[in-house]
């Protein structure tokens, strides 16, 4: 079994924080996702890489050796990608732009906005976690990302990643039209104290962790079920008469109502992020920001 670069990055973060929980938060992953990645790494090595103790997590001898080599390998991989891109530019070739984005109704239009810049062909990675996408930009694995950033709960993208706000994104409760909250002009987290809530639960889903953090701060413990995608969460919520979340209130589901959720740390913004020394650069990046802002405003206005 081969060792993956992401496993080495996770090991590095766990070693720095001394905690799987804190590493998962910083990486925008679930605790179980980090644990599974470390288990795959241990199977590949054939030895434990961590000592798990009540006082915290430390590296075994094998883990320390891996980390020492990871500190060489990871920067080398980043330099490799940079050198290849410089080679393409020197030869007059067009380096492919690698996109990352959260799943959203505007995803197809976002890709077209990049194509309209005439930069190059591209690849696309869809991921729920903004922190994960920012990490990939910093590692040189993608070039530009469109993602949801929770202002009160997510750390700001680090230097040298450049980021611009596209639009504010506020959470809505998606409920069956017969639900007790369906006719409310707005709701607060306290209204969810006795409710059944369905959350999408992909491996790198930040909303799940942020929702539990927000509920704990509000002093409530609603009953929670999970689905493996946003669309499955809506379907399950409708079947159970439960509450789900959306940040796209103009995208309507049959027999469902959208109720604004007010005064909550789950408020977010949609960010566009890229590296200034990547294939976009500052001037194309600024043009892309303008195009995506226009696209988003039009989609909100038309309900597309």
């Amino acid at each position: 079994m081969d060792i993956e670069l992401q496993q080495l990055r996770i090991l590095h973060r766990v070693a720095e924080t001394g905690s799987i929980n804190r590493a998962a938060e910083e990486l925008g992953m679930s605790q179980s996702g980090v644990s599974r990645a470390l288990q795959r790494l241990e199977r590949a090595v054939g030895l434990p890489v961590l000592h798990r103790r009540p006082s915290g997590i430390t590296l075994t001898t094998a883990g320390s050796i891996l980390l020492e080599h990871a500190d060489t390998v990871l920067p080398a991989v980043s330099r490799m990608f940079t050198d290849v891109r410089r080679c393409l530019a020197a030869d007059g070739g067009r380096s492919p732009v690698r996109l990352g984005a959260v799943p959203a109704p505007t995803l197809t239009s976002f890709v077209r906005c990049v194509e309209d810049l005439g930069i190059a062909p591209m690849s696309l990675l869809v991921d729920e976690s903004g922190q994960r996408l920012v990490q990939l930009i910093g590692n040189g694995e993608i070039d530009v990302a469109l993602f949801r950033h929770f202002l009160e709960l997510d750390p700001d993208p680090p230097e040298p990643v450049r980021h611009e706000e596209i639009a504010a994104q506020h959470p809505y409760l998606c409920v069956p039209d017969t639900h007790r909250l369906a006719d409310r002009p707005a709701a607060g987290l306290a209204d969810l104290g006795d409710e059944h809530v369905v959350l999408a639960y992909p491996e790198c889903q930040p909303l799940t962790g942020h929702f539990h953090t927000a509920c704990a701060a509000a002093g409530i413990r609603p009953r929670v079920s999970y689905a493996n995608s946003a669309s499955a969460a809506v379907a399950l919520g409708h079947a159970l008469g439960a509450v789900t979340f959306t940040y796209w209130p103009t995208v309507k589901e049959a027999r469902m109502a959208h109720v604004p959720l007010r005064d909550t740390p789950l408020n977010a913004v949609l960010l566009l992020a890229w590296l200034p020394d990547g294939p976009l650069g500052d001037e194309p990046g600024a043009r892309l920001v303008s195009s995506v802002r226009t696209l988003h405003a039009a989609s909100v206005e038309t309900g597309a």
Side-chain angles (χ1 to χ4, degrees):
M1 182 182 296
D2 294 331
I3 293 176
E4 302 170 7
L5 292 176
Q6 178 63 359
Q7 293 167 352
L8 294 179
R9 295 189 183 100
I10 289 172
L11 179 67
H12 190 280
R13 186 63 62 191
V14 170
E16 283 192 340
T17 62
S19 165
I20 288 179
N21 284 340
R22 288 199 296 274
E25 290 174 1
E26 293 184 9
L27 292 168
M29 297 179 66
S30 66
Q31 179 183 348
S32 60
V34 169
S35 296
R36 286 195 294 271
L38 293 171
Q39 289 166 4
R40 291 195 300 271
L41 178 60
E42 289 180 327
R43 287 198 298 270
V45 174
L47 293 167
V49 298
L50 300 175
H51 291 302
R52 297 168 173 85
R53 299 188 174 100
S55 58
I57 287 179
T58 58
L59 297 179
T60 64
T61 301
S64 297
I65 293 171
L66 278 176
L67 187 62
E68 180 181 351
H69 287 284
D71 287 338
T72 301
V73 169
L74 295 176
V77 170
S78 180
R79 290 193 301 271
M80 176 185 70
F81 281 119
T82 300
D83 291 345
V84 169
R85 300 174 91 70
R86 286 174 179 165
C87 177
L88 282 168
D91 291 342
R94 297 199 306 164
S95 177
V97 175
R98 299 160 300 177
L99 302 181
V102 294
T106 54
L107 184 56
T108 300
S109 298
F110 167 58
V111 174
R112 288 174 179 165
C113 280
V114 181
E115 287 181 326
D116 289 344
L117 292 177
I119 299 174
M122 64 195 71
S123 61
L124 173 64
L125 170 69
V126 178
D127 196 308
E128 289 277 1
S129 172
Q131 293 180 62
R132 163 76 171 145
L133 292 172
V134 168
Q135 179 194 17
L136 293 176
I137 290 177
N139 293 338
E141 295 180 55
I142 61 175
D143 303 304
V144 58
L146 182 68
F147 59 92
R148 184 174 299 118
H149 175 76
F150 294 87
L151 292 168
E152 297 183 36
L153 299 169
D154 288 339
D156 288 335
E159 296 291 344
V161 176
R162 181 169 176 183
H163 61 279
E164 294 286 345
E165 181 177 328
I166 300 301
Q169 287 213 302
H170 302 295
Y172 285 73
L173 305 180
C174 186
V175 297
D177 55 14
T178 55
H179 193 278
R180 70 176 184 88
L181 297 175
D183 295 327
R184 295 273 294 271
L189 278 174
D191 293 308
L192 300 181
D194 297 323
E195 289 294 332
H196 187 177
V197 178
V198 179
L199 299 174
Y201 196 57
E203 191 166 280
C204 293
Q205 167 64 279
L207 179 59
T208 299
H210 290 343
F211 173 75
H212 289 295
T213 297
C215 286
I220 62 171
R221 295 185 64 183
R223 185 159 56 104
V224 178
S225 296
Y226 300 100
N228 61 7
S229 70
S231 58
V234 171
L236 182 59
H238 190 282
L240 297 176
V243 176
T244 57
F245 284 82
T246 182
Y247 287 84
W248 301 93
T250 56
V251 180
K252 303 297 185 181
E253 292 88 11
R255 299 174 57 194
M256 302 291 283
H258 290 162
V259 181
L261 184 64
R262 304 297 192 201
D263 301 322
T264 168
L266 298 176
N267 285 323
V269 292
L270 198 64
L271 291 186
L272 187 74
W274 71 96
L275 285 174
D277 61 353
L280 257 69
D282 280 330
E283 193 275 332
R287 285 193 287 136
L288 181 60
V289 169
S290 177
S291 296
V292 176
R293 282 176 178 160
T294 301
L295 153 74
H296 187 274
S299 69
V300 170
E301 181 177 340
T302 62

